[in-house]
Amino acid sequence: MDPAPQPSLRTEQQLQMLIDSVRDYAIFLLDPQGRIITWSQGAQRIKGYTFDEIRGRHFSVFYPREDIESGKPEYELKVAAQEGRFEDEGWRIRKDGSRFWANVVITALKDESGVLLGFGKVTRDISERKWAMEANFEKLFRSSPNPILLSGLDDARFIEVNDAFCELLGYPREELIGQSSITLGVWLYAEERTRIVTELKAGRPVRGEACEMRTKSGDRRNVEVSADMIEFRGNPCLFATLLDTTESRKLEAVIEELSTPVLQAQEGLLVVPLIGRVDGPRATQLRNQLLNAVRAQRARAVVVDLTGVPKIERETAGGLIRAIEAVRLLGANVILAGISAVIADTLVAIGARFSIIKTTSDLQSALEEAKSLLAGPSAV
């Protein structure tokens, strides 16, 4: 078998000729400290330096100032040395100071014993692809029927908003772009945005977060915010889509109020006719509505009619008893009417104190009992 051919000067020259013929890539070598030791025609075309101008300089000269300050060049070499390879996309700087969007691959070069000899670096200018992607992004951004915003992650300055967002808040676009959403008071509670940003920085996307925003005229709008952290023009940004829930929230509030009405039968007497299933949220709603009505009407007697309620779970029954106790603390007697055998068993099972709860078999009896209480001393 013939011995394997050894690399010759001609082979090295051919390799360099091959590298120089690749004009779409900047291919060059770095020493272990990151200083440039070779250069190619593609590198000169993309970055603008001749070999004499760039030889011996640290490769961080190609990075934006903010990347240099954050230690990104050194970080890339560290990762490449440890893992053998590093790949990234980001802004790079030409000799004339202009920026281009680059795909960068750094490969560690080591000898047989693992000693680091330097790095091979390949850079490709993919600005055209990025602009095409951003153009498509802008089309989708502007055509979306949902309000969308793009802002700086930390400074909260609007970078872009679509027509639906402007319509939601009543601002023309030119009054938003470049302005801080916090300074403008767009977020009714600034801490809601802070919470979203904290989640995004922790690597957790936000979906359907309930927030309140303020329109230019000062009106409040309830929104659900779905947000992601994206890189836009080399900077971390907040990209959020909003769902306006203001009207649906109002409708839900009306439905809840209608489903648990608190009626004034006469001065000092409130009646609550419950129908259907009483779950935990509805028991909480009943308590809040009842306490507000007792305060507002200065009621001294409350009749809660359970005739239309088939059963109550133990936990819910406990919430109902706590609501009754809270009403008593405000100075009103509570009468439970129309209790079924099933509900009676549940109340007994949770240890309800019937010494403080008046009960009757039907609504008419409860109303008569309440009127007699009102006719007598008001003390509970």
Side-chain angles (χ1 to χ4, degrees), residues 275-293:
I275 299 174
R277 180 171 174 264
V278 179
D279 56 11
R282 194 176 179 197
T284 301
Q285 174 201 345
L286 168 63
R287 183 191 67 220
N288 294 338
Q289 288 185 225
L290 197 51
L291 292 177
N292 289 335

Side-chain angles (χ1 to χ4, degrees), residues 77-292:
L77 293 186
K78 180 180 178 181
V79 173
Q82 292 175 345
E83 300 182 7
R85 185 177 186 274
F86 178 87
E87 183 170 0
D88 180 45
E89 284 191 11
W91 292 111
R92 296 297 184 269
I93 307 297
R94 296 188 180 92
K95 177 184 175 182
D96 62 6
S98 62
R99 294 191 176 203
F100 67 98
W101 191 258
N103 172 265
V104 176
V105 178
I106 302 175
T107 303
L109 305 175
K110 300 180 180 181
D111 64 15
E112 294 180 354
S113 61
V115 175
L116 181 66
L117 302 177
F119 301 91
K121 192 167 188 291
V122 179
T123 301
R124 184 184 182 191
D125 183 354
I126 57 172
S127 299
E128 290 185 4
R129 189 181 78 182
K130 180 175 176 60
W131 302 145
M133 291 175 62
E134 289 192 0
N136 289 331
F137 170 79
E138 184 175 359
K139 290 178 182 177
L140 293 172
F141 189 99
R142 293 194 177 281
S143 63
S144 173
N146 295 319
I148 301 178
L149 70 90
L150 180 68
S151 68
L153 192 65
D154 293 317
D155 65 13
R157 293 186 181 277
F158 288 112
I159 299 171
E160 191 56 88
V161 294
N162 68 350
D163 291 342
F165 185 85
C166 294
E167 183 178 349
L168 172 67
L169 297 185
Y171 285 92
R173 179 178 175 276
E174 56 270 19
E175 290 185 11
L176 294 174
I177 302 303
Q179 300 299 315
S180 167
S181 61
I182 302 300
T183 302
L184 288 176
V186 166
W187 298 86
L188 191 63
Y189 304 105
E191 58 270 23
E192 291 181 345
R193 186 186 189 279
T194 301
R195 185 170 62 249
I196 290 172
V197 170
T198 300
E199 288 295 299
L200 297 180
K201 286 184 174 180
R204 295 185 291 267
V206 174
R207 297 292 180 265
E209 181 76 12
C211 299
E212 287 190 73
M213 289 191 163
R214 183 186 287 111
T215 68
K216 184 179 180 180
S217 62
D219 294 334
R220 295 185 177 193
R221 304 299 296 184
N222 297 107
V223 297
E224 289 183 359
V225 179
S226 295
D228 293 276
M229 182 171 67
I230 68 171
E231 185 175 278
F232 184 77
R233 295 178 181 170
N235 298 305
C237 295
L238 169 68
F239 177 78
T241 301
L242 312 182
L243 177 63
D244 185 3
T245 60
T246 306
E247 300 308 321
S248 62
R249 289 282 185 89
K250 290 179 181 178
L251 181 59
E252 287 173 3
V254 171
I255 292 173
E256 288 178 356
E257 187 172 350
L258 290 175
S259 67
T260 311
V262 179
L263 310 175
Q264 184 176 21
Q266 67 177 61
E267 186 177 353
L269 173 59
L270 300 178
V271 178
V272 184
L274 292 178
I275 299 174
R277 180 171 174 264
V278 179
D279 56 11
R282 194 176 179 197
T284 301
Q285 174 201 345
L286 168 63
R287 183 191 67 220
N288 294 338
Q289 288 185 225
L290 197 51
L291 292 177
N292 289 335

